[in-house]
Amino acid sequence: MKKTFIFSLLFCAAINLNAQIGLNLDKHTFIPEVKLTAEEEKIYEKDDAYCLYYGKAFDYRLNDAGQIELYEMLHFSFKIYSKDFVDDVNMFEINTSSKKNIISCGGKLTKADGKIETLGKKDITEDIDDDNDTTFLLKFPTANTGDIIEFFYVVKRKNVSTSGFWRFLASNVAVKQFDATFIMPEHLSFDVIGYNGLPNATDQVIDGTRYQCVSVQNLPKVKDEAMSFTRAHLPRVEYTFRYNYSNNKTKKLNTLDYFKDNIYVIYNEFDKKEQKALQSINSAIKVNKKSTPLEQAQQIENYVKTNFNLMNINAVVLRDFTFINKNKLINRSGCIKLLHNLFKINNIKSEIVITTDKTDVIFDAKADNGNFLDEPLLYLPDFEQYTSANENARIGLPSYFVSGCEGIIFKQLANYSVYSTEVCKIPLAAAEKSQDNIDVKIKLDIDENLIAADIKREISGYPLGFLQINLSIVDKKDYEEKGLNKRIDYYLGLGVESFNVKNIKIENIYKKDIIAKPLILSGNIEDYHDLKKSADTLAFTVGYFIGKQDPIKQDEPRTLPIERHYNVQYKRTIEVEIPDGYKCVNISDLNIEVFDSNNKTAAFVATTQLADNKIVIVCEEYYKRDFYPANETDGIINVVNAAADFNKKRLIFVKK
């Protein structure tokens, strides 16, 4: 699997204010030779690599026609210490769709023995994929450990974006020098804001050219830690074209007020053809007017999400009602637009909300721009509930990656075709809405060395993922081909390799059942491997039957918070029939009670009792808090690890 490059600036780093001021991309070339000290080599040779330089530049220029053109530079250099890292950096993609847009490029490989190989434009290779798209590459196939590898490109872009973000993504290694530079005529100016430890840009004008620079030295590495949304904490630069002083010295450009007008047009204005298509879709739904408004909204949402195929493509046509009705294809903004207007036809109030994917970017409520308007939702004020565009999202259960976030709600002003905006908090759904419950009845066949169990698993809310949807839209005869049989075996086999699952039954997989009803899986488990016998004792791992649990290993102080996707609760009821002539001698070992804090916002609690010739074990595990700062993670780690430790619990029986 390709490694995700990650650097963090959560530690102190020296800021180099002047490194990129005066940068000229027309003369861009390799960096001067970097000599590492013996001490640096000793520190970093334990890692995959050490990044000697990582730079990015955006050079906005006015052409003869007065139009803005962008010259973009990317440049990096790594000292390689592990073979695993070689494949990550020995091939360099030049990010352009046309070779004629490549202004300059280069590659330099300094071998461990001091020999140097170089590449230029003449060495570009072209890789054409099945869609006839061309990728332009520079390659060093001989790169190896101990080498220093360096690449850069400068490309010209005509379709210029004047707002957006650039994320500094590199591997789990330290960086000696990092630069991000924005160059433009002096009458233009950007807001260049650093996040997650990066400073904001400095601003300096030299000979009619403005340089806005973010430059930092000696960035330490940070580990990718369990249960953190690591990408959301990566250093990044958000930039927005803010002023054109030649037109107006005080007017701010690309503000939220500007974007709110566009949002209104996108979700509320369409032509007569679209209006006709919208009415056609509404007629096909056959909304039950005798039901409650909430039930009507749920009926509309279920129809849209089971009759139109959601495409993860940002294309205008996928939010055009005429195209949507004809082709049954839609994207996320198209889904929200369609729901918003269907609700309007049926006198159900809804308001547009836009936020970010919390696993990718933390929403910044103070940002007066459109950079954080990524993920559209709907708020239904009469029910005080949200929904989002994904197929497995429903009213009251929006996609987990937008839950618990701040966002912008766009409220239509009475009698006006405009929006006002305010910051809102999209609440997390209660744990009770997301449950995963298992009931198991176990018998031990001593003669056959067999553990036999009847199992029933009932799943609702977020733990369903896309399983219920996939089971509803795929014909049963195609389950094997689509990999669904394997997934069902995993859910009922609880992730235990020695469990053989038979006689599987599945309930609530019709389209009308999606999210509205829990998915119910049942079957029989046989295990011929885990029952251990001696002359007087029997033992087996009863902990397997709560499902596979992964511990959190934390050997060093944590630097990132623990972040959970959603609130959830689990219940496992395990009934074990005691074999004739035996008694259990360690029931009390299975009684466990672990909480994350005095507030008990997360817990793993296991209790046992004897009932006639049966042992009944009840394990209850829940998580009702989604965020723990790095210095407050011990409690939640103890809960997670208590569940993982229970996986190892064995019941021991001795002859009476």
Side-chain angles (χ1 to χ4, degrees):
M1 180 181 292
K2 192 80 170 174
K3 292 185 179 179
T4 301
F5 290 168
I6 302 167
F7 285 101
S8 176
L9 308 184
L10 302 178
F11 301 94
C12 294
I15 299 175
N16 183 0
L17 298 179
N18 299 309
Q20 294 290 85
I21 294 172
L23 178 67
N24 185 349
L25 296 189
D26 293 331
K27 298 179 179 180
H28 195 70
T29 188
F30 300 110
I31 62 173
E33 181 182 3
V34 178
K35 291 284 189 181
L36 296 181
T37 65
E39 183 180 359
E40 286 176 316
E41 292 276 15
K42 186 176 181 180
I43 292 172
Y44 299 118
E45 66 185 3
K46 298 176 295 205
D47 301 328
D48 286 333
Y50 180 39
C51 184
L52 306 176
Y53 180 72
Y54 205 107
K56 185 86 169 183
F58 300 88
D59 185 352
Y60 295 89
R61 306 179 184 180
L62 292 178
N63 62 20
D64 294 338
Q67 299 169 325
I68 294 178
E69 294 180 335
L70 172 62
Y71 289 72
E72 180 183 317
M73 178 272 283
L74 175 65
H75 193 152
F76 64 70
S77 176
F78 286 95
K79 174 70 179 283
I80 304 170
Y81 291 111
S82 82
K83 283 191 173 293
D84 291 339
F85 197 79
V86 172
D87 290 338
D88 288 334
V89 294
N90 68 350
M91 186 165 60
F92 182 62
E93 179 180 341
I94 301 171
N95 185 16
T96 183
S97 59
S98 174
K99 193 172 183 178
K100 66 181 181 181
N101 293 330
I102 302 173
I103 305 303
S104 63
C105 63
K108 183 178 181 181
L109 182 67
T110 305
K111 303 292 290 181
D113 61 7
K115 293 180 180 178
I116 295 175
E117 302 175 25
T118 59
L119 301 173
K121 286 181 72 173
K122 63 181 174 53
D123 301 302
I124 293 173
T125 60
E126 299 181 13
D127 183 22
I128 302 175
D129 64 18
D130 294 338
D131 296 325
N132 209 33
D133 293 326
T134 302
T135 301
F136 302 99
L137 302 168
L138 291 176
K139 302 177 182 178
F140 278 122
T142 63
N144 209 335
T145 56
D147 297 347
I148 294 175
I149 193 166
E150 180 180 358
F151 286 112
F152 74 85
Y153 68 67
V154 177
V155 297
K156 181 179 178 180
R157 305 196 190 283
K158 292 183 178 179
N159 297 322
V160 179
S161 172
T162 52
S163 65
F165 62 84
W166 173 60
R167 289 180 201 146
F168 175 39
L169 305 177
S171 68
N172 183 24
V173 298
V175 188
K176 192 173 184 69
Q177 176 68 43
F178 163 75
D179 294 318
T181 307
F182 294 78
I183 308 167
M184 67 216 75
E186 67 174 320
H187 69 276
L188 304 179
S189 180
F190 281 67
D191 276 351
V192 182
I193 308 299
Y195 285 82
N196 297 329
L198 276 178
N200 296 341
T202 60
D203 192 320
Q204 187 169 343
V205 176
I206 300 177
D207 297 330
T209 300
R210 185 181 303 277
Y211 296 89
Q212 295 179 291
C213 306
V214 178
S215 189
V216 183
Q217 295 176 333
N218 300 321
L219 310 180
K221 71 172 186 177
V222 152
K223 289 183 178 179
D224 189 4
E225 295 176 317
M227 293 182 69
S228 281
F229 305 146
T230 306
R231 283 184 61 85
H233 300 283
L234 292 175
R236 73 180 193 278
V237 173
E238 299 273 351
Y239 59 95
T240 303
F241 178 41
R242 189 58 90 193
Y243 294 101
N244 184 343
Y245 297 120
S246 63
N247 293 336
N248 189 313
K249 293 185 181 297
T250 60
K251 183 180 179 181
K252 293 177 70 173
L253 305 174
N254 293 318
T255 63
L256 195 57
D257 276 346
Y258 166 80
F259 284 100
K260 76 180 182 184
D261 295 335
N262 285 354
I263 296 297
Y264 184 88
V265 171
I266 288 171
Y267 290 100
N268 294 280
E269 294 186 1
F270 38 86
D271 59 24
K272 291 182 179 179
K273 286 185 178 180
E274 277 197 87
Q275 181 66 43
K276 186 177 180 181
L278 176 65
Q279 293 290 351
S280 175
I281 295 169
N282 185 63
S283 297
I285 298 173
K286 297 182 173 62
V287 177
N288 181 5
K289 294 299 184 181
K290 293 183 179 180
S291 59
T292 67
L294 177 57
E295 289 169 339
Q296 291 177 37
Q298 290 168 333
Q299 182 187 353
I300 292 167
E301 181 180 33
N302 200 55
Y303 180 91
V304 168
K305 292 183 176 179
T306 57
N307 285 275
F308 300 95
N309 294 315
L310 187 68
M311 310 291 290
N312 191 25
I313 300 173
N314 187 22
V316 174
V317 70
L318 290 172
R319 61 172 187 255
D320 181 285
F321 295 152
T322 308
F323 179 90
I324 291 168
N325 192 36
K326 180 180 178 181
N327 297 281
K328 309 303 178 191
L329 299 174
I330 201 167
N331 62 11
R332 288 204 291 271
S333 59
C335 180
I336 293 301
K337 175 184 173 182
L338 180 56
L339 287 172
H340 181 53
N341 286 280
L342 286 170
F343 289 158
K344 192 181 298 183
I345 289 174
N346 290 278
N347 298 313
I348 299 166
K349 293 180 183 178
S350 65
E351 296 169 337
I352 304 296
V353 178
I354 308 184
T355 185
T356 55
D357 177 342
K358 69 182 180 184
T359 69
D360 194 49
V361 174
I362 298 170
F363 186 85
D364 184 356
K366 296 179 181 178
D368 188 15
N369 55 44
N371 291 17
F372 296 85
L373 302 180
D374 293 333
E375 297 290 342
L377 299 89
L378 279 178
Y379 175 61
L380 285 73
D382 289 344
F383 319 125
E384 297 183 344
Q385 296 192 56
Y386 291 79
T387 190
S388 58
N390 279 39
E391 301 99 315
N392 61 342
R394 290 295 187 273
I395 295 169
L397 205 74
S399 299
Y400 70 81
F401 54 82
V402 295
S403 298
C405 302
E406 288 185 312
I408 298 294
I409 188 165
F410 295 82
K411 292 178 175 285
Q412 186 166 350
L413 298 177
N415 303 317
Y416 291 95
S417 297
V418 293
Y419 279 144
S420 66
T421 60
E422 61 185 62
V423 176
C424 65
K425 181 66 179 285
I426 304 154
L428 286 166
E432 291 74 18
K433 284 198 169 187
S434 295
Q435 300 192 37
D436 185 348
N437 300 325
I438 296 174
D439 285 288
V440 184
K441 293 179 170 54
I442 302 170
K443 290 185 178 181
L444 306 179
D445 187 328
I446 300 171
D447 294 333
E448 296 293 330
N449 204 55
L450 169 66
I451 303 168
D454 298 331
I455 183 170
K456 178 181 178 182
R457 188 166 189 173
E458 189 171 312
I459 312 167
S460 62
Y462 291 120
L464 280 168
F466 286 88
L467 181 59
Q468 189 179 35
I469 291 173
N470 291 335
L471 292 172
S472 71
I473 62 177
V474 176
D475 195 294
K476 287 186 178 180
K477 64 181 175 59
D478 297 324
Y479 279 7
E480 183 67 34
E481 179 186 347
K482 300 293 185 180
L484 290 173
N485 284 344
K486 186 178 291 187
R487 290 184 64 191
I488 294 166
D489 281 348
Y490 184 86
Y491 271 82
L492 284 176
L494 305 175
V496 181
E497 290 185 9
S498 59
F499 283 5
N500 180 36
V501 183
K502 302 167 63 176
N503 304 319
I504 295 171
K505 294 181 181 178
I506 309 172
E507 301 175 52
N508 299 335
I509 56 171
Y510 295 105
K511 287 183 177 180
K512 63 181 177 61
D513 298 328
I514 295 173
I515 306 299
K517 294 182 180 180
L519 176 66
I520 300 175
L521 306 172
S522 59
N524 308 120
I525 293 173
E526 293 181 347
D527 184 346
Y528 287 92
H529 296 86
D530 188 54
L531 183 59
K532 305 303 179 186
K533 299 185 294 184
S534 65
D536 298 313
T537 64
L538 297 171
F540 78 101
T541 312
V542 71
Y544 284 163
F545 287 91
I546 69 168
K548 186 178 180 181
Q549 308 278 335
D550 293 319
I552 297 177
K553 297 177 181 179
Q554 198 72 46
D555 299 326
E556 298 178 3
R558 195 169 176 102
T559 60
L560 295 179
I562 280 184
E563 298 159 297
R564 291 191 55 83
H565 291 95
Y566 49 79
N567 293 331
V568 64
Q569 61 186 35
Y570 306 92
K571 185 175 182 180
R572 278 80 171 104
T573 304
I574 305 166
E575 184 181 287
V576 183
E577 189 174 303
I578 301 173
D580 290 342
Y582 285 83
K583 63 179 180 180
C584 186
V585 295
N586 69 328
I587 294 177
S588 61
D589 292 348
L590 276 64
N591 291 317
I592 299 171
E593 188 176 81
V594 179
F595 299 99
D596 63 334
S597 64
N598 292 335
N599 293 328
K600 299 183 179 181
T601 48
F604 180 82
V605 177
T607 58
T608 60
Q609 64 176 0
L610 279 170
D612 298 326
N613 69 326
K614 295 175 182 175
I615 300 167
V616 179
I617 305 164
V618 178
C619 296
E620 295 185 274
E621 182 181 0
Y622 63 78
Y623 300 92
K624 299 181 179 181
R625 178 180 171 186
D626 68 324
F627 183 86
Y628 295 81
N631 62 348
E632 297 179 19
T633 58
D634 288 350
I636 183 65
I637 289 174
N638 290 340
V639 172
V640 172
N641 288 347
D645 288 343
F646 194 88
N647 263 167
K648 307 167 190 172
K649 294 293 183 181
R650 295 175 67 79
L651 280 178
I652 301 171
F653 302 90
V654 299
K655 286 185 177 180
K656 294 180 180 178

